[in-house]
Amino acid sequence: MEYNKFLYDEFGNIYERKNLYLKEIVELNEKIKEVNPNEKNYLRRQQKELIKKRGEHPYNIKFKKFKESEKNFIKSLKKKKKDFINQLDQSLPYKVKKLKIECFIAQEKYNFYKKYIDLTYDAQFEYEKNRILMKELPPIIESIVKETKAVQNAIKDRKNIDLNQEKKIELEFKKFEKEQKKALKLEQRKLKEKRKKGLISRKAQINENKIFKQKYKEAVLLKSYDCFEKRNKEFIKNKKHEIKQKTKLGLKEINFNIADRKKRIPIELEKNKVKIAYFTLLFPGVGQILNSQYKKGILFLIATFFIYFIAIPYALGFGNYQGEGIKGLITLAEGGKIVDKSLIFMIEGIIAIFLLIISLFLLYFSFKDVLKVEKNKIKGIRPKNWFEIKSSFQEEGFPYIANLPGLIVIVFIILVPVTTTILLSFTGMDPQHQSKFYWIGIQNYKLIFLGQGLAGSVFWLTLGWTIVWTLVATTLAIIIGFILALLVNQDRIKGKAFFRTVYLLPWAVPAFITIMFFSIMLSPNGAISQLIQSIWNIEISVKTDAMQTRIALILLQGWLGSSYIFLLSTGVLQAIPNDLYEAAEMDGATTWQKLKHITIPIVLFQTAPLLIGQYVFNFNNFSIIYLFNGGGPFEPTLYGNLAGSSDLLISYIYKLTIENQYQGIGAAITVFVSIAVMFVSFLGYRNSKAFKEERL
């Protein structure tokens, strides 16, 4: 039997074993490792004999007597406790009686365990714990009794109030309050006159006004305490609060001291292998209870309830709206009732999987907790009591508590829909299979990549235009915004506030209004179309010509997006120290060199992550495409009936899924686009200077 030679406390301090029986086994093990093979056999036989006669070992006989004495002592203590309660003054406050009883029990335990501190570490811990209680509880009890008497005396004094005197004081108080109000108004008038004469600033007037108001409140409050009844009520309220807080702090200090002693006194067990953690693996909470962590165990039992009464039954189909749990995710309502919908079966199956994943995490955390505590006990470290668990949870567990609601929202509001979209991409959900659809594997992805079928043939054309649109429209917006910011930032420019307001208008005005306005103005009979025709005699057909539509969209987005870039760039430009430019001028740098080597690198360094976000935003910019021309003009020979020549992938997906109900292939395109966008965004962030210098 292998045992550690020494015991360890929570701080790593080493202790000799008090269990002489185990100490002998350890010493024999040490000798067996050192001697020759012939002597090893003799020592092993000696060890087996020792184990066989375990109950006859002098230490174990003593320990058995101690446990019997302890059992009898606990029984007798219950009777002594009842007798002590009967002797207590019943007029004492409940808290005082409770603490007195606790102090009495501590005294009895202290006297009992004092005789056994050399026999076992458990007795030593009980001795130290009750010594702390005996020493530190009486001052708390005395303080409560003293302060409670003061409260009781104050309550008695209230009965002897002279009502006539109180009325007189009240009248004096009201008179004083009126005088103070007059004085306050007089001071406020003086401040106004000083402000009119220009002797003080408005800010000084406001500050002085606040000071006078504060003085008025303090004077009135102080005078109100001339009233005995109010003073008496305030005293009683403060004393009660003081009693509560002092008691709370005193008990907390006791718990801290006990916890500190517990950390420094090891526990000694005869077992040398982890068992509880493995036997209670499937039942969170049971292991904690067996480790004497009862309150923690109750909390983990909630996890057991969740696993066996919510997660597993739901995964098996119990409590589902229509589905059959995980089975429903596989069958997708195949062979089910007419009213059964495959989509509901899929969603409920996905929820079931997430509930099982949460269950696995709960099982894992519970197992790790029990395993750690059990290993520590074998090593010599005592399990944490509820006070320590609560304290550490309040300090270290706060981030987990704060993030838990967010995690629940992420799982059920984000991960479940995302998983549904991914799984839909492997199904044949289309206009003919809305209620019931089936798994078709990678067929949708095959159609997309090979450019086949009704939707796949349009995908690559739309993707090409989407990439061109994203790069050109976003880059144009960045260039316009940056140039405007540079111009307004020049010292020679007058009326900067006016220009900044004008340049921010495209961002301030709701985008859909601007888009609809230009859509109407660029229609065949629109004002802009008519104006261009009358001035240059050029007939434009923005709504019917694909190239003109695309150019108009790029220019419009360049203008709409420039305001945001202007705002970003302005903020960065104003933060660039003038010393850099002055140093560059002294070195003979030209305006272009200063722009190239100072301004642009600093602006890009500060705004790179946000600029990447602009590219991602425009890649999925649905509103401008749909509102401007509905994705048109439409060219059925190239795009069929599912998309227009100005449709981006996002608007194309919308038409596929919402307008034409091709959810399966639409989901496949969504997955492809999402992966591509995430990959490109990652590359952009990774290659930005801010990321490389670990600023992100």
Side-chain angles (χ1 to χ4, degrees), residues 289-355:
I289 290 169
L290 292 175
N291 279 331
S292 303
Q293 294 180 307
Y294 302 108
K295 290 182 180 179
K296 191 206 273 191
I298 290 167
L299 289 176
F300 272 100
L301 283 173
I302 296 169
T304 300
F305 176 83
F306 169 80
I307 292 165
Y308 294 105
F309 292 94
I310 297 174
I312 292 175
Y314 193 89
L316 295 173
F318 297 101
N320 285 205
Y321 171 63
Q322 272 191 358
E324 299 172 343
I326 293 174
K327 182 186 173 185
L329 180 62
I330 298 165
T331 62
L332 294 180
E334 186 177 359
K337 302 172 189 175
I338 297 172
V339 293
D340 288 347
K341 293 185 180 295
S342 297
L343 186 60
I344 293 174
F345 273 63
M346 177 182 279
I347 292 168
E348 295 202 283
I350 291 166
I351 292 171
I353 286 172
F354 276 107
L355 290 177

Side-chain angles (χ1 to χ4, degrees), residues 93-244:
Y94 170 75
K95 193 71 181 177
V96 172
K97 285 193 281 186
K98 187 180 175 183
L99 292 176
K100 275 184 173 289
I101 293 164
E102 198 173 336
C103 193
F104 168 76
I105 292 168
Q107 176 74 53
E108 293 293 319
K109 284 185 176 181
Y110 170 81
N111 292 329
F112 174 78
Y113 286 109
K114 183 168 62 172
K115 297 174 283 185
Y116 300 100
I117 55 174
D118 293 327
L119 182 69
T120 169
Y121 281 110
D122 286 343
Q124 185 182 340
F125 171 65
E126 286 295 329
Y127 166 77
E128 293 286 347
K129 173 185 168 183
N130 289 290
R131 186 177 62 81
I132 291 167
L133 289 169
M134 280 172 53
K135 182 183 176 184
E136 298 186 20
L137 278 177
I140 296 172
I141 295 167
E142 190 181 337
S143 175
I144 296 171
V145 171
K146 184 181 174 183
E147 300 297 338
T148 304
K149 278 183 181 177
V151 170
Q152 289 169 348
N153 290 334
I155 292 167
K156 285 177 185 176
D157 291 343
R158 196 189 295 174
K159 294 175 183 177
N160 302 321
I161 293 173
D162 187 343
L163 296 176
N164 293 325
Q165 183 66 21
E166 287 295 299
K167 283 179 182 178
K168 187 180 177 183
I169 291 168
E170 191 177 346
L171 289 170
E172 286 178 5
F173 170 72
K174 285 180 179 178
K175 184 181 177 183
F176 177 80
E177 190 177 20
K178 284 179 182 177
E179 288 172 357
Q180 289 297 315
K181 273 185 182 177
K182 284 180 183 177
L184 176 64
K185 286 178 181 177
L186 181 64
E187 293 295 340
Q188 286 175 335
R189 261 191 251 109
K190 286 179 181 178
L191 286 173
K192 281 183 182 178
E193 287 172 8
K194 285 181 179 179
R195 175 79 182 102
K196 283 179 183 177
K197 292 176 181 178
L199 298 173
I200 57 171
S201 65
R202 178 168 175 73
K203 190 174 181 180
Q205 183 191 2
I206 293 167
N207 290 336
E208 288 291 325
N209 207 3
K210 283 180 182 177
I211 291 166
F212 286 129
K213 280 183 179 179
Q214 187 62 32
K215 283 181 179 178
Y216 161 75
K217 286 178 183 177
E218 286 173 2
V220 170
L221 182 64
L222 189 64
K223 185 68 177 175
S224 69
Y225 285 116
D226 287 351
C227 175
F228 177 79
E229 188 177 3
K230 182 170 181 178
R231 192 166 66 246
N232 183 272
K233 282 181 181 177
E234 197 68 27
F235 175 81
I236 292 168
K237 182 183 172 184
N238 289 337
K239 277 292 174 188
K240 284 181 178 179
H241 179 73
E242 191 179 335
I243 292 166
K244 186 179 176 182

Side-chain angles (χ1 to χ4, degrees), residues 597-650:
H597 296 290
I598 297 174
T599 309
I600 293 176
I602 291 175
V603 172
L604 284 177
F605 178 80
Q606 297 290 344
T607 61
L610 297 169
L611 296 181
I612 292 165
Q614 284 296 292
Y615 281 98
V616 174
F617 169 76
N618 275 333
F619 190 90
N620 292 315
N621 195 342
F622 172 81
S623 57
I624 189 169
I625 303 299
Y626 201 78
L627 292 173
F628 185 76
N629 201 17
F634 298 95
E635 298 180 37
T637 54
L638 282 174
Y639 295 93
N641 297 319
L642 295 176
S645 55
S646 66
D647 267 318
L648 303 179
L649 282 177
I650 187 70

